[in-house]
């Protein structure tokens, strides 16, 4: 069964305390992996797309990496405004290229 | 501004009363989808569309209908809403199969 699992479910950091979020997947053919940020009561906001193992993308304090079984979202020296839920989604290589979301990691960064 | 617009943002209705949630995008995207988001279950796809007049079921299509008569619009129809359809709904569009979705702001639906 195609599955996307994110860990931890919730993470609390002090401002400046770097950490990583994990997205592991078991799918029948990966076409791409997406990271989104979601603020309470809002729609997910697109961050990155990764297509192949070894690929890395960066945006401000965020860096996403991809291996054959998982992806990491590294947060360097986070600030309170980085508090949000981070979602990963896997684009599968099926007939209509199905996109499957994980349940997310809730990140809280305290000043 | 490039965006996906959903209406209404909030809706409280009674069981069995037909309703439509509208969705419109101004980016000329071919792909559009509807998702529902529930605590602990994440985002689950209801229906998707690859182009005008081309729609198909996602993972949780029961109790919903969609139509795609124009490229920009993709309404979600609940013919006879039930309380288990109480949820947060998102419409999304993307340029092509390898691109990320742009999401609307969401519609919080409560069925009593």
């Amino acid at each position: 069964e195609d599955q996307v699992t994110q860990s931890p479910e919730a993470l609390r950091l002090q401002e400046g305390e770097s950490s990583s979020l994990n997205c592991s997947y078991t799918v029948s053919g990966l076409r791409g992996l997406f990271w989104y940020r979601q603020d309470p009561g809002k729609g997910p906001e697109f961050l990155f797309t990764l297509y192949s193992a070894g690929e890395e993308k960066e945006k401000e304090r965020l860096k996403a990496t991809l291996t054959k079984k998982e992806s990491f979202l590294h947060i360097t020296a986070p600030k309170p405004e980085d508090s949000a839920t981070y979602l990963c989604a896997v684009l599968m290589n099926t007939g209509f290229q199905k996109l499957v979301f994980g349940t997310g990691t809730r990140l809280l960064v305290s000043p | 501004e490039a965006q996906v617009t959903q209406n209404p943002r909030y809706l409280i209705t009674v069981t069995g009363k037909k309703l439509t949630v509208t969705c419109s995008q101004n980016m000329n995207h071919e792909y559009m989808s509807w998702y529902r988001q529930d605590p602990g279950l994440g985002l689950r796809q209801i229906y998707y569309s690859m182009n005008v007049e081309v729609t198909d079921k996602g993972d949780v299509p029961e109790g919903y209908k969609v139509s795609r008569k124009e490229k920009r619009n993709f309404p979600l129809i609940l013919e006879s809403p039930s309380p288990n359809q109480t949820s947060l709904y998102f419409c999304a569009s993307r340029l092509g199969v390898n691109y990320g979705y742009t999401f609307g702001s969401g519609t919080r639906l409560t069925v009593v």
Side-chain angles (χ1 to χ4, degrees):
Chain A
E1 182 187 346
D2 299 314
Q3 210 163 13
V4 179
T5 304
Q6 291 189 246
S7 62
E9 285 188 18
L11 180 62
R12 186 164 190 159
L13 300 173
Q14 289 295 120
E15 185 171 2
E17 180 186 1
S18 301
S19 188
S20 296
L21 313 182
N22 178 263
C23 172
S24 63
Y25 56 91
T26 52
V27 297
S28 48
L30 175 75
R31 193 178 181 97
L33 186 142
F34 300 83
W35 280 99
Y36 287 85
R37 169 193 171 123
Q38 186 176 23
D39 293 299
K42 296 190 176 181
E45 176 188 343
F46 171 73
L47 292 173
F48 304 110
T49 309
L50 302 165
Y51 293 107
S52 56
E55 190 174 358
E56 298 182 352
K57 294 271 179 75
E58 283 189 70
K59 181 179 180 179
E60 295 181 357
R61 295 176 292 281
L62 301 176
K63 179 179 174 181
T65 62
L66 180 66
T67 72
K68 287 189 177 179
K69 292 185 178 180
E70 59 191 347
S71 176
F72 291 94
L73 184 65
H74 307 278
I75 305 176
T76 302
K79 297 182 178 181
E81 52 262 42
D82 294 321
S83 298
T85 295
Y86 291 86
L87 303 169
C88 77
V90 169
L91 182 65
M92 298 192 293
N93 207 5
T94 57
F96 69 91
Q97 291 85 32
K98 183 178 177 180
L99 189 65
V100 178
F101 281 84
T103 53
T105 294
R106 287 191 320 278
L107 174 66
L108 178 62
V109 182
S110 303
Chain B
E1 181 188 351
Q3 59 185 359
V4 177
T5 303
Q6 294 178 231
N7 280 296
R9 287 295 311 276
Y10 302 92
L11 180 59
I12 300 174
T13 190
V14 296
T15 299
K17 186 177 180 182
K18 181 180 178 179
L19 67 91
T20 299
V21 183
T22 63
C23 174
S24 180
Q25 51 96 2
N26 62 0
M27 297 166 281
N28 202 36
H29 286 173
E30 291 190 350
Y31 290 75
M32 297 187 75
S33 276
W34 276 101
Y35 286 86
R36 62 178 287 174
Q37 188 173 38
D38 301 289
L41 297 176
L43 282 158
R44 294 178 294 167
Q45 191 175 52
I46 303 170
Y47 269 93
Y48 69 97
S49 170
M50 290 185 285
N51 214 324
V52 175
E53 303 291 1
V54 181
T55 63
D56 207 346
K57 298 176 181 179
D59 294 317
V60 288
E62 292 76 23
Y64 304 96
K65 285 176 58 178
V66 293
S67 68
R68 188 96 182 269
K69 294 184 170 56
E70 307 164 277
K71 198 171 188 178
R72 63 184 293 126
N73 295 324
F74 191 43
L76 179 69
I77 303 155
L78 285 73
E79 295 270 4
S80 183
S82 62
N84 64 11
Q85 293 178 297
T86 291
S87 187
L88 180 57
Y89 291 86
F90 289 103
C91 180
S93 72
R94 57 180 172 166
L95 179 62
V97 70
N98 287 333
Y99 291 80
Y101 273 113
T102 298
F103 282 83
S105 299
T107 295
R108 186 167 291 282
L109 173 66
T110 302
V111 184
V112 298

